[in-house]
Amino acid sequence: MKKIVNDNIVAYGVHDCLLEFNWFDYQLKNFWGKPISKFHIKNRFHKFCFLSFASTEHIVSLAYVDIGLARSFFGYVFEKNKGMVKHWEKTIVSRKFKFNNDFDNSIISFTNPQFNIYNQTNLQENFIKGNFSCKDNVNISYDVELGLVQKPLRTINPADFDHWVFTQKRCGLKLRNIKIEVDGATITVNPDNTICNIDYSGGFFRRDTNWLWASAGGHDKGNTYGFNFAIFNNNELYGENATWFNNEREHYKRIMFDWNANDLTKPIRIYTDDKRVELSFSILGEKADVKSRGFGAIKTNFHQYIGTFNGYIHINKKKQKISNVLGILEMHKSLW
């Protein structure tokens, strides 16, 4: 197993092997190039997990964020014909919120009178299992086939002189089971027609953190496919862009987004110069978080759009048509 840090040198690149996530061996420095304490390193290491479950008619999203001194989570249930059925978000400082750093064998958990959270990833046992429930009449449980032979996209990128970020993406994963209840009513979702996309990321992010990100997937004639595309994130030396077809993965170094910021009713284009990707995204709804706190010292401009993708992607010379596939496109800007 390869270490991500050796003698304070970070193993930047795209990795198709298991990694020992020994982030705590890294000596982070301050603005003046002086080493900071292990306590401050621990609080400067931030991580998040985002899961989405998409069928032809529904998207369920669950997000968990740990920024050292505070934790937060949000999620929603979205229906294509009805819009946002239910959404929630919460920020807490409780140490009862658990989120370990081994992303291939991760446990996220938290319980209080309002929320119950459990998410476990186990690479050896080939599953992601979890449940989420809240007092606001939402109950979600799932069992995902992780895919022992599917290559995730693992990248490590520098964020600036001393900071770096690791990410691991998996798209188009098969579900063994999923159950969704909202306000006492069961939302019927066929696991055979639903995929899971998952994003684990962690590292020493810059104080200004930005990205444009798109993700979706689906089923086609017994096969599964998915994609993850992003720009503006970290330094992008090793792009966080990939497509999957069953257990095959293709990595893309560069992707482009074109959009009219004055009129988001117009489709957003996602493409590559070599024509291997040509997609359009039309917005149906959104989860937004636009805030300024601490007299403007902390700013968040976050829009996670739910909508439909059309066009095509290539996976290792296979052309996969995308037609009205539900997915996510996110515009994220923050200063903190």
Side-chain angles (χ1 to χ4, degrees):
M1 187 178 292
K2 184 176 183 178
K3 292 184 177 182
I4 63 168
V5 178
N6 278 289
D7 193 26
N8 219 50
I9 297 174
V10 181
Y12 296 123
V14 179
H15 298 278
D16 287 330
C17 61
L18 292 177
L19 298 173
E20 181 182 342
F21 204 63
N22 61 324
W23 65 274
F24 203 59
D25 293 336
Y26 184 71
Q27 178 58 67
L28 188 66
K29 296 180 180 180
N30 64 15
F31 180 84
W32 308 107
K34 303 295 184 182
I36 67 173
S37 69
K38 291 295 184 181
F39 173 80
H40 287 100
I41 289 175
K42 185 176 181 180
N43 286 317
R44 281 290 288 115
F45 184 83
H46 299 163
K47 54 187 178 288
F48 64 84
C49 170
F50 181 83
L51 303 101
S52 66
F53 306 92
S55 69
T56 56
E57 301 297 326
H58 299 85
I59 286 188
V60 176
S61 292
L62 300 168
Y64 304 110
V65 182
D66 182 342
I67 57 170
L69 296 175
R71 288 94 179 152
S72 63
F73 54 90
F74 73 85
Y76 53 82
V77 178
F78 183 90
E79 190 168 333
K80 192 174 184 179
N81 295 325
K82 294 182 180 179
M84 193 68 74
V85 177
K86 186 78 75 170
H87 64 92
W88 57 89
E89 61 180 306
K90 182 73 173 177
T91 299
I92 57 176
V93 295
S94 172
R95 291 291 175 181
K96 293 181 180 179
F97 190 104
K98 304 297 183 183
F99 188 163
N100 70 344
N101 296 317
D102 182 354
F103 294 151
D104 285 319
N105 295 281
S106 171
I107 293 179
I108 303 170
S109 64
F110 176 70
T111 300
N112 73 359
Q114 290 184 308
F115 296 94
N116 183 61
I117 294 167
Y118 186 82
N119 182 83
Q120 181 180 7
T121 301
N122 190 311
L123 183 63
Q124 287 72 30
E125 298 296 326
N126 190 27
F127 69 75
I128 304 171
K129 293 181 180 179
N131 57 73
F132 172 88
S133 62
C134 69
K135 199 174 180 180
D136 197 21
N137 296 320
V138 177
N139 291 280
I140 301 165
S141 62
Y142 49 90
D143 183 353
V144 179
E145 183 179 327
L146 187 55
L148 290 174
V149 295
Q150 188 202 59
K151 279 186 179 180
L153 178 64
R154 298 186 180 101
T155 69
I156 306 175
N157 272 289
D160 58 23
F161 294 105
D162 296 302
H163 298 72
W164 53 267
V165 176
F166 164 86
T167 190
Q168 176 171 274
K169 321 283 188 182
R170 294 177 183 270
C171 293
L173 298 175
K174 293 181 179 180
L175 272 78
R176 298 188 183 104
N177 192 28
I178 184 168
K179 294 180 179 179
I180 306 166
E181 291 183 357
V182 177
D183 295 330
T186 298
I187 295 178
T188 302
V189 177
N190 182 359
D192 294 332
N193 195 29
T194 305
I195 56 95
C196 173
N197 295 338
I198 185 165
D199 177 351
Y200 278 109
S201 295
F204 301 102
F205 293 82
R206 291 196 304 259
R207 292 294 185 183
D208 56 328
T209 305
N210 311 295
W211 59 69
L212 270 173
W213 168 65
S215 180
H219 291 256
D220 185 13
K221 299 176 182 178
N223 301 302
T224 59
Y225 64 88
F227 59 83
N228 182 97
F229 299 133
I231 59 173
F232 302 142
N233 47 323
N234 309 318
N235 270 346
E236 299 186 274
L237 294 179
Y238 303 97
E240 298 177 11
N241 307 302
T243 53
W244 284 263
F245 185 83
N246 293 333
N247 298 318
E248 299 178 49
R249 189 208 72 207
E250 183 170 1
H251 179 237
Y252 292 72
K253 291 184 178 180
R254 185 172 63 184
I255 202 84
M256 289 297 296
F257 286 62
D258 278 346
W259 73 98
N260 185 337
N262 294 325
D263 187 1
L264 290 178
T265 63
K266 296 181 178 179
I268 298 167
R269 184 187 177 204
I270 304 168
Y271 65 97
T272 56
D273 291 336
D274 61 7
K275 307 299 183 184
R276 289 189 298 160
V277 174
E278 184 63 57
L279 294 169
S280 66
F281 178 82
S282 299
I283 297 171
L284 298 177
E286 72 171 305
K287 166 71 174 70
D289 182 15
V290 181
K291 294 177 182 176
S292 178
R293 301 181 292 275
F295 301 101
I298 301 174
K299 299 177 182 178
T300 302
N301 190 350
F302 166 88
H303 299 268
Q304 187 171 106
Y305 298 108
I306 305 100
T308 54
F309 288 93
N310 286 278
Y312 64 83
I313 57 176
H314 276 89
I315 306 106
N316 295 334
K317 298 182 180 179
K318 296 183 180 69
K319 186 176 181 179
Q320 175 64 52
K321 185 180 179 181
I322 309 294
S323 181
N324 292 318
V325 173
L326 274 174
I328 293 166
L329 188 146
E330 184 174 292
M331 297 181 179
H332 176 106
K333 293 194 296 182
S334 63
L335 181 64
W336 49 278

